[in-house]
Each structure stands twice: as structure tokens, then as C-alpha cells.
Amino acid sequence: MNTFDSTSPRHKAVLVIPRIRVQNANAISSPITWGFPAITAFTGLMTALERRLGRDAGMALIGVGVICHAFEAQVTTSGYTKSFRVTRNPVLADGSTAGIVEEGRVHMSVTLVFDVLLSDACRGKSDRYSLAERVAEELGGMRIAGGSVMPPLPSAPPHPRRPTLELVPDEGQSDEQHRQFRRLSREWLPGFALVSRDDVLQHRLQLLKRSDPDATALDAWMDLSRWNTRAVKEEDPPLYSQPTSVEWVTERQAGWIVPIPVGFAALTPLYPPGTVGGARDAHTPFRFVESVWSIGQWVSPHRLTSLRDIVWLPDNSCHLDLPDEHALYRCVNAYKSAVSPVQSAQ
């Protein structure tokens, strides 16, 4: 992806596909997390979309951001404990299923924001309008995180529904860039954008190492993924006849912090095409992988400052120093919070 010659797309632009209603998306984002689909589902959608459009479209997709407007998990509602209404897809002609893994489902409404490059032939206003309409039409026939794209409900609020493709001002016009992003981000309200908070995970690991030098990143990730209630001794010393009393305090997270999968780590060497039985594509090299997790945060779009804050990029090239069997395929996001994890903890 994104390998072009000198005549290839080079003009920076932003493509917005607003308020996509998705039905029955996969809500089990990894073996140990559930909720909103993994961000890899959307970077995979971006790759599939670019292949559908082809190089003749004059547009290269660089990264994708997601704003969630509505989320309705398909779970049982009786009793205190909720369970997924799981399915196995797809259903074959005889009624049996090909899948061996059961899926939890969710209905949701999302806005997709693509960081793109345009060719000279697509810079005109009418050309950009036609290209945005074509992308929306292609997306309407695709699966998003395994879910089906549905038409808007007649009763839906009159939010902007037309796709837009706008040129981004040059790097030297930072004020123009800022004004453009502020205008676009207001159109994404109400909603929450998923951003990366790797810094929060690293800060929590440093805190844990103060009391346990053997603490690992997994310990820090688990500590951020649950409710932690700690016993705090009362300041006034008790009388000799009374036991020491404590107050149980539930730790509050700064912001809407969530554990998320961000990619995959290799478990095996890369096998040549067609050498692994049952692979979907016999013309592409194959490798077994496992999920990689980090910490994310849901942030209201009006708190973001630039397109870089919201866009996730597939990063498969910055770990070439690792052995082949340790290859890492992960998604990265450049969001930097105005409040550091140290300030948040105070």
C-alpha cells in the first residue's frame, strides 16, 4: 500500500464519511477484550477500500480515524450478569456455519475520517465531490468490522450525512489547518474518538515498579483495565484499645480509559504462499499471529487539535531490527494529551 511514483497522489486531504449505521459488527475485539471493534478492523477496511478503488482512482489512503456516535451491544438484559447473543458466521447454504469462533455483536453508528493523498486530477471541487460519493457507495457494499452497512433511519437527526473530501492547507498554513479541523470536529459531535494512550500504560508501569520491581507491562495493563479499590489508613492514630481503621477508596481513572488491541505479533516465520492449508489467500505469504494490547481513550472530538490526533496508521516497518519470527504489526496514533499521566494522577 502507498507505493506510488512521481505522478501518484501527493496533495494532502481529509475524507469524511459521516454517520455510518452498522448492524451486527463484531464486538469481541480480541480473546480477552470486548466492546468496540478493534482498530485493526478499520485499518483493514481502509486497505480493502483502497484495493477496491484501485490506483486509477487518484487517491491513496494513509490512515483512518473513528468517531463513535452510538453503541448498542446485543446482550441479554435479564438479571445482573449480561451475556452476548452469540452467532457463528457465515451461514452456509445447508444452514450450517463455516466459522468455529462465536461472535458477539453490536449495532453502532460511526464516522470515518481518512487521511488521504490526492492526485493533480482530483484536486477540483467537482472531482473531489464525485470521488467522495464513490467512496461512500463502495463502503455501502462492504463489511465494517464484520457488520453490515445500513441506510440511515428516517427518524435520524439532521446531522451532515454527505461524504466530504477537502484539501488540507499546506504545512506552512497552520492557522488554516487548525480552523479547518475545528470546523470538521464540531460536525462530529456528539461522539467520541478513539485515541492511543501508550503513555498512560508506561506511567502506570513505573508506578507499579516502585512497590514491585518485578512488575511487567501486563501487570500495568491489568491494573488499568479494572476497578481498583485500595485501603487507606486514617490519618488520626487510633486509641490503644481500638484496631487500626482504614478507608476503602476506589481509584478513579483520568478520562475514559479502555484496554484495546492495537495489532498483532508474529508467532511463526513467514510461510510462502499456498503452503498453509485452509488459508483464505493462496497468493499471499502467511503467518500465525497473536493480539497485541495497549491502552486507549475515548475523547470528545472538540478536545482534539489536529487530524494527526485522530488518525491511526498501520506501522509494519519500524521494527525491522527484530528477528523475523518476532515481527510486529501494530497500529499507531500520534495523540498527545494536554494533561500528562503524572498530572492526571495527582
Side-chain angles (χ1 to χ4, degrees):
M1 189 177 66
N2 306 335
T3 56
F4 298 91
D5 54 28
S6 58
T7 62
S8 297
R10 57 191 177 88
H11 302 289
K12 192 173 178 57
V14 54
L15 170 64
V16 181
I17 311 296
R19 314 281 171 172
I20 306 173
R21 195 162 69 92
V22 184
Q23 192 175 70
N24 290 329
N26 186 4
I28 301 179
S29 54
S30 77
I32 56 175
T33 58
W34 77 275
F36 195 75
I39 196 64
T40 51
F42 296 94
T43 55
L45 170 73
M46 179 180 69
T47 302
L49 177 62
E50 191 172 58
R51 289 176 178 173
R52 278 203 178 199
L53 295 173
R55 293 192 174 187
D56 295 338
M59 181 172 65
L61 304 178
I62 307 302
V64 59
V66 185
I67 300 106
C68 182
H69 306 286
F71 182 90
E72 181 184 359
Q74 300 303 294
V75 297
T76 59
T77 56
S78 60
Y80 180 77
T81 303
K82 297 182 179 180
S83 302
F84 272 120
R85 302 188 182 103
V86 294
T87 62
R88 287 193 297 167
N89 301 306
V91 178
L92 303 180
D94 60 355
S96 62
T97 59
I100 59 175
V101 179
E102 294 180 328
E103 297 178 356
R105 298 168 295 145
V106 60
H107 301 338
M108 60 184 185
S109 173
V110 295
T111 289
L112 299 182
V113 181
F114 293 96
D115 183 9
V116 306
L117 294 177
L118 293 180
S119 65
D120 292 340
C122 297
R123 293 189 65 191
K125 185 175 181 180
S126 60
D127 297 319
R128 285 186 280 114
Y129 176 83
S130 300
L131 188 53
E133 290 288 336
R134 181 188 170 193
V135 172
E137 183 177 348
E138 292 285 352
L139 275 176
M142 298 176 67
R143 293 277 186 172
I144 298 180
S148 303
V149 177
M150 307 299 291
L153 294 173
S155 59
H159 293 297
R161 296 178 181 175
R162 308 301 302 180
T164 59
L165 178 56
E166 299 185 17
L167 292 171
V168 174
D170 296 334
E171 292 296 332
Q173 300 174 307
S174 56
D175 291 342
E176 293 294 330
Q177 285 187 2
H178 182 69
R179 279 194 287 270
Q180 181 190 50
F181 185 79
R182 293 291 296 173
R183 173 175 53 80
L184 290 174
S185 62
R186 286 196 295 270
E187 296 177 355
W188 304 333
L189 296 173
F192 290 90
L194 183 63
V195 298
S196 173
R197 293 307 307 269
D198 292 346
D199 57 330
V200 173
L201 181 64
Q202 293 299 324
H203 178 257
R204 182 56 60 97
L205 177 58
Q206 294 174 6
L207 291 180
L208 293 181
K209 281 185 174 296
R210 294 177 183 175
S211 56
D212 181 7
D214 296 328
T216 65
L218 178 60
D219 297 323
W221 186 81
M222 294 291 292
D223 201 55
L224 287 167
S225 304
R226 64 194 178 206
W227 288 99
N228 293 309
T229 301
R230 307 182 192 277
V232 179
K233 288 184 179 179
E234 293 186 351
E235 295 183 356
D236 296 334
L239 300 176
Y240 292 108
S241 59
Q242 296 178 349
T244 301
S245 59
V246 298
E247 179 184 3
W248 289 94
V249 178
T250 300
E251 180 181 320
R252 299 182 61 183
Q253 301 286 0
W256 190 353
I257 299 294
V258 289
I260 57 171
V262 293
F264 303 96
L267 290 174
T268 64
L270 196 63
Y271 296 112
T275 58
V276 177
R280 289 182 177 180
D281 186 353
H283 305 286
T284 303
F286 187 94
R287 164 175 278 155
F288 291 94
V289 297
E290 63 178 352
S291 294
V292 174
W293 294 274
S294 184
I295 293 296
Q297 183 177 2
W298 290 105
V299 180
S300 180
H302 79 281
R303 298 187 182 278
L304 306 177
T305 59
S306 70
L307 187 61
R308 295 177 66 250
D309 287 348
I310 193 173
V311 167
W312 290 79
L313 307 173
D315 178 17
N316 305 330
S317 60
C318 63
H319 302 283
L320 295 179
D321 55 328
L322 293 175
D324 182 63
E325 62 271 23
H326 295 164
L328 189 62
Y329 308 88
R330 69 161 297 178
C331 299
V332 295
N333 169 248
Y335 173 76
K336 299 295 182 185
S337 174
V339 181
S340 68
V342 178
Q343 293 174 314
S344 301
Q346 293 176 348

